Amino acid sequence: MATKTNTSATDFIAETGAELLTDGDSLNFYAHDVYERGADLLAVVRPKNKEELAAAVAATTSQNIPVIPRGGGMSYTGGYSNNQPGAVLFDLAEMDRILDINETDMTVTVEAGCTWAKLYEALQPKGLRTPFWGTLSGLIATVGGGMSQNCLFWGSGRYGTAAQSCIAMEVVLADGTILKTGSEFTRPYGPDLTGLFLADTGALGMKATITMRLIPEAQAHGYASFSFGTHKETLTAAAEIERAGVATECFGFDPNLNAIRMKRDSLGSDAKALGNMMKKQGSVWGAIKEGAKVVTAGRNFMDEARFSLHVLTEGRLQAAANDDLARARKMALANGATETENTIPKIIRANPFGPLNSMLGPEGQRWAPIHGLLPHSKAVACYTAIEALFEKHRAEMDALDIFTGTLVSAVSGSGMIIEPCIYWPDAANPLHEDTVEKAHLAKLPKLAPNPKAWAMTQKMKKALVDLFYEHGAVHFQIGRTYRYRDSLNPAADALLLDVKKSLDPRGLMNPGSLGL
């Protein structure tokens, strides 16, 4: 258990006025991310605004103590789970205000701790949203975390990742300086200083405020689901749909992940979510029909033995959304698809920021996703190699009740995310117990620590990271997991080191992240 070890240091930080936590339970909780526990922390700081953040960072680093930023805590790649004891973690959850919604210039500025769900709900009455508008974990995941880690999902099929919606930021540097990047309404202005701090996993500075573009919210939507016999057919169809620019989201599951979803999800919550969506769209009768459709179809609308692909379209007019959907359908069918009930994309869109119960498997197993972003030309070969890797270790994994499922998702202008997920029987950690809904958690078996399964999971995770590197993949949430610096040529690596030294000469800003 972590303990307070340096009273004078923490008292000095507390003089800045920021809330300071030093009790053992808090320090232990904040040392965990979704995947593992980091080293013991000295303290946790919870600033309420950028001035407190800057003052507390300066007070900490002036004592040669490392500082670590934390957003919503949804990292599973070592984004904030430091391996050096004695650091101070900055929890930015209290900095969650929406500072400005500028409907004339079509920008919005938020504090870094604002969640994607809170931002989306605030913009909805105005008929606006950001182009990229959040992750599936957006109930808890923050805008600042999204910009530091880069992330994808809502809007990614058309608008790309979180970083592509960002215009400007205020960033707190290691010495407490507040640096403002770019202009307030366009990016870039001269060299792209905003881009320098995007996807840096907090290694260069802590985000304090973020300004993003706004677009009108869509007025019309389309949904379609397809099943395929092979991953090659699935990836080829998704690639064509992405290149055509007709989908706002295009994602799919392998047969294993289909089966996991069928076991985990609730028919009652599905029906309620769909009903609420149809009511929002002004159709009470539609709500009744959609809810009844879920209950009647049960969990048989998706053949668990096949790959699935789900497409969402949107537009100003229903005819436009329907036309995009028709084009996507034609591409899917031309690649061997069978069209299936479109319940899954409707359910997800009806409740875009649902509870994070999928953080644990259907029987309480631990969960670890490992992803790579590849160009379409390399995606099929990489997926084939992943399947071969799992088959090679099948007997070892089966002996320890370890299983896998894989998600794929198209990213506008970039290619395809392939995200194999490992599930293994092991004890939940404090972050899981705090995040998963209490009623859902109570239904799950309480698993014991399983060192052998954990060791095998570590082995498979490293093998997947190496495999993605060998296939030329790039990554979001680089943290302390992916081989980012190995992928840089010497000149680029030298530039990165120079930038780090200039901004953080003593290496106190999230040390180890990005491999720095």
Side-chain angles (χ1 to χ4, degrees), residues 149-166:
Q149 304 279 27
N150 208 2
C151 53
L152 60 89
F153 196 78
W154 291 116
S156 289
R158 178 166 291 167
Y159 299 105
T161 66
Q164 292 169 268
S165 290
C166 184

Side-chain angles (χ1 to χ4, degrees), residues 354-372:
L356 275 67
N357 296 335
S358 59
M359 188 179 286
L360 295 174
E363 300 299 328
Q365 299 93 341
R366 293 281 299 278
W367 162 79
I370 306 95
H371 77 270

